[in-house]
Amino acid sequence: MSPDTLSWFEASLLGELGRSSSWLFPALETLHFLGLCILFGSLLVVDLRMLGYLRGFSIAFTYRFIPVALFGFSINLVTGIWFFCVDPFRYYPNIAFRVKMVLILIAGINALLFWFLEHRKLQSLPADSDTDLITKTIAVLSLGIWVMVIICGRMMPYLEY
Amino acid sequence: MGFFLWLQETPVAIWIQESLWGYPSVLSTHAVGMAIVVGMVLMVNLRVLGFAGNIPLSAFERLFTVIWLGFLLNFISGALLFSADAVRFITSTVFLIKLSCIIAGGISMWVLVKMLMGEKNTGAASIIPGKAKVIAAVSILLWVGAIIAGRLTAYIG
């Protein structure tokens, strides 16, 4: 991203609003934390069922939590972009921020693979059957990546120069 | 107050205050534990309120083990974080509000387990009493309150 693009983000309305108010930024941070809890909690339900830790009911029943996960992600996407607008020159070079963004992309690809290749197959499995290795891998990747995203996020203030 | 002053001077507390990675790693652990506890609590409470109703309530029982593990993680990481700045935290109103929300939130989850888990609710069409739904709603507010107070602890006091 060029310095001009970063300046564009910085000069945006979101950036101005975020910098001008003392309570807005903490409020956005709180929303960001809530969003991540909603995202992670809902994914835990789906992924723990895919791993077979939860059992005795159709995997398809957990799909009700996928919109919840998307809702949590949307909160964090909006607040995240807002943070970036407040101080893009601080976030952009930050190694923890960059790793976090790449991990989120990988998590997204993992989710798309699940949706387009796996989710329909799993729907027709009997309630008590075990899941195959691919399913379990997708679930482990999902949880593992999001845990690393949380850690990267928390590390960001400590990797500034 | 003497106890909290002493706590801040213990080797573990000093390590967290002074080492390059001590504080960030304990803080990161605390964030992951928070995601597990509050995330799972929110989903369990949503189920009690009727969301995803065709998942049998008893199937969610195993989630409580995960919640407990997350809580243990945060109890330990929280104690470590507390020890590094004990005097400031124990005199911070916002922090005490956070602890109160967590204790009350924990009690609400315990009450829900007592009311809903066990042999009586193994069917898919488990009947959830209205009282349980009220407790689930209150529980959500308490845990959200814990997150808000937790974030504000960094800014106030």
Side-chain angles (χ1 to χ4, degrees):
Chain A
M1 231 182 248
S2 71
D4 283 343
T5 316
L6 293 176
S7 296
W8 179 84
F9 276 101
E10 193 178 39
S12 65
L13 178 64
L14 292 184
E16 293 289 345
L17 283 173
R19 286 185 300 271
S20 61
S21 146
S22 58
W23 58 264
L24 186 55
F25 199 85
L28 293 175
E29 284 182 315
T30 305
L31 281 173
H32 204 74
F33 278 31
L34 282 169
L36 87 84
C37 290
I38 294 170
L39 171 62
F40 196 71
S42 51
L43 284 182
L44 262 180
V45 176
V46 183
D47 291 332
L48 288 178
R49 178 61 189 89
M50 281 167 71
L51 286 169
Y53 176 73
L54 291 179
R55 54 186 66 169
F57 59 95
S58 168
I59 294 182
F61 293 172
T62 64
Y63 293 174
R64 282 293 273 128
F65 285 96
I66 293 176
V68 179
L70 290 171
F71 175 65
F73 182 75
S74 308
I75 294 174
N76 277 31
L77 185 64
V78 169
T79 50
I81 291 174
W82 203 324
F83 291 145
F84 189 79
C85 290
V86 170
D87 206 345
F89 290 95
R90 178 177 148 209
Y91 289 114
Y92 187 69
N94 187 306
I95 186 71
F97 174 73
R98 292 182 171 200
V99 172
K100 185 178 173 185
M101 293 305 110
V102 170
L103 286 172
I104 292 172
L105 274 166
I106 298 175
I109 293 170
N110 189 47
L112 287 173
L113 284 174
F114 164 74
W115 191 253
F116 289 110
L117 298 179
E118 287 297 306
H119 94 275
R120 245 178 285 268
K121 270 193 273 169
L122 296 170
Q123 256 172 271
S124 45
L125 282 180
D128 258 312
S129 64
D130 198 12
T131 50
D132 65 17
L133 190 60
I134 296 180
T135 308
K136 294 199 164 108
T137 306
I138 292 175
V140 168
L141 279 176
S142 164
L143 293 176
I145 292 173
W146 285 111
V147 166
M148 289 196 287
V149 168
I150 293 171
I151 293 173
C152 282
R154 218 54 199 88
M155 288 299 217
M156 276 163 51
Y158 302 97
L159 287 162
E160 289 172 0
Y161 296 104
Chain B
M1 196 51 58
F3 169 74
F4 300 106
L5 280 165
W6 169 81
L7 193 59
Q8 277 175 200
E9 303 296 318
T10 56
V12 165
I14 303 273
W15 171 76
I16 294 174
Q17 292 159 31
E18 298 188 347
S19 85
L20 193 60
W21 294 111
Y23 189 72
S25 29
V26 178
L27 203 57
S28 299
T29 309
H30 206 68
V32 174
M34 170 196 78
I36 295 172
V37 173
V38 179
M40 293 260 70
V41 161
L42 286 177
M43 300 309 131
V44 169
N45 284 328
L46 280 180
R47 175 60 190 87
V48 172
L49 288 167
F51 186 74
N54 37 20
I55 300 179
L57 215 47
S58 56
F60 264 33
E61 212 162 330
R62 300 192 104 190
L63 289 181
F64 281 97
T65 310
V66 180
I67 295 177
W68 268 115
L69 285 171
F71 187 81
L72 196 64
L73 202 63
N74 269 27
F75 186 80
I76 296 171
S77 55
L80 289 171
L81 290 168
F82 179 84
S83 72
D85 212 348
V87 174
R88 180 184 144 235
F89 282 121
I90 202 63
T91 52
S92 158
T93 312
V94 175
F95 177 73
L96 294 173
I97 292 175
K98 177 183 170 177
L99 282 191
S100 310
C101 286
I102 292 170
I103 292 170
I107 292 173
S108 68
M109 296 313 288
W110 178 80
V111 170
L112 282 178
V113 171
K114 279 263 163 295
M115 282 179 93
L116 300 173
M117 295 299 154
E119 316 78 41
K120 37 190 162 72
N121 270 315
T122 45
S126 328
I127 300 181
I128 301 175
K131 250 191 296 188
K133 295 192 177 183
V134 172
I135 294 174
V138 169
S139 179
I140 290 176
L141 290 174
L142 287 168
W143 287 104
V144 169
I147 292 203
I148 296 173
R151 191 81 288 267
L152 289 179
T153 318
Y155 289 91
I156 304 177

